[in-house]
Amino acid sequence: MSGPDDSRRAFLTGSTVVAASAAFGAEAAAQSKMVINDPSVVREIEAEFAGYDRALGNNDVAALNGFFFDSPFTIRYGIAENLYGYPEIQAFRSAVVASGVGPRRERNVITTYGNDFATVSTLSRRPQSGKVGRTMQTWVRFPQGWRIVAAHVSVIDAPANP
């Protein structure tokens, strides 16, 4: 069955496809100009992550809190907690009892997109645990500097073949 609305629907659907194609084309052109892993930006994130790692090993709560973006939109999924917003992350950090031994990091992968966005992915091991920790962080440059806006930490049994 077809009626007068069918041709209008077909026209509007076609217009949507054309508009979406134009938007996609503009987005693709913008992405092709984006520099991925600019060495200077990678070095900035390496330094930030090293500072974060030192603060983690020392349980420097003030420094750890300073690495996270102070926003209700900042998320941290941990091993046994789901933290929504900076206040929950702060409260969690202040309650953590440090082991005094920082994790040994492996396979750090830093990827930067343009000058203001980066991800850090890393594995970690603690002596004699038989477990592998996995951390992923999303960093954004704000006027006050680089901050983590999303993080995920999980632990799995160590694979037989790493």
Side-chain angles (χ1 to χ4, degrees), residues 47-114:
E48 291 292 332
F49 185 68
Y52 172 87
D53 224 21
R54 276 190 305 278
L56 188 63
N58 295 328
N59 197 36
D60 184 341
V61 174
L64 288 167
N65 286 336
F67 284 103
F68 284 85
F69 184 51
D70 185 349
S71 167
F73 304 109
T74 300
I75 305 292
R76 181 185 180 277
Y77 291 147
I79 295 169
E81 66 283 345
N82 299 314
L83 307 172
Y84 289 83
Y86 184 78
E88 289 185 16
I89 294 167
Q90 261 187 320
F92 168 78
R93 275 285 164 230
S94 66
V96 170
V97 177
S99 67
V101 178
R104 186 183 81 224
R105 300 289 188 186
E106 299 175 5
R107 300 191 72 179
N108 294 337
V109 176
I110 293 174
T111 309
T112 65
Y113 301 89

Side-chain angles (χ1 to χ4, degrees), residues 79 103-104 106 123-134 154-159:
I79 295 169
R104 186 183 81 224
E106 299 175 5
L123 300 178
S124 59
R125 296 180 195 267
R126 294 195 183 269
Q128 302 170 350
S129 73
K131 304 281 185 180
V132 175
R134 303 174 300 176
S154 60
V155 176
I156 61 171
D157 291 332

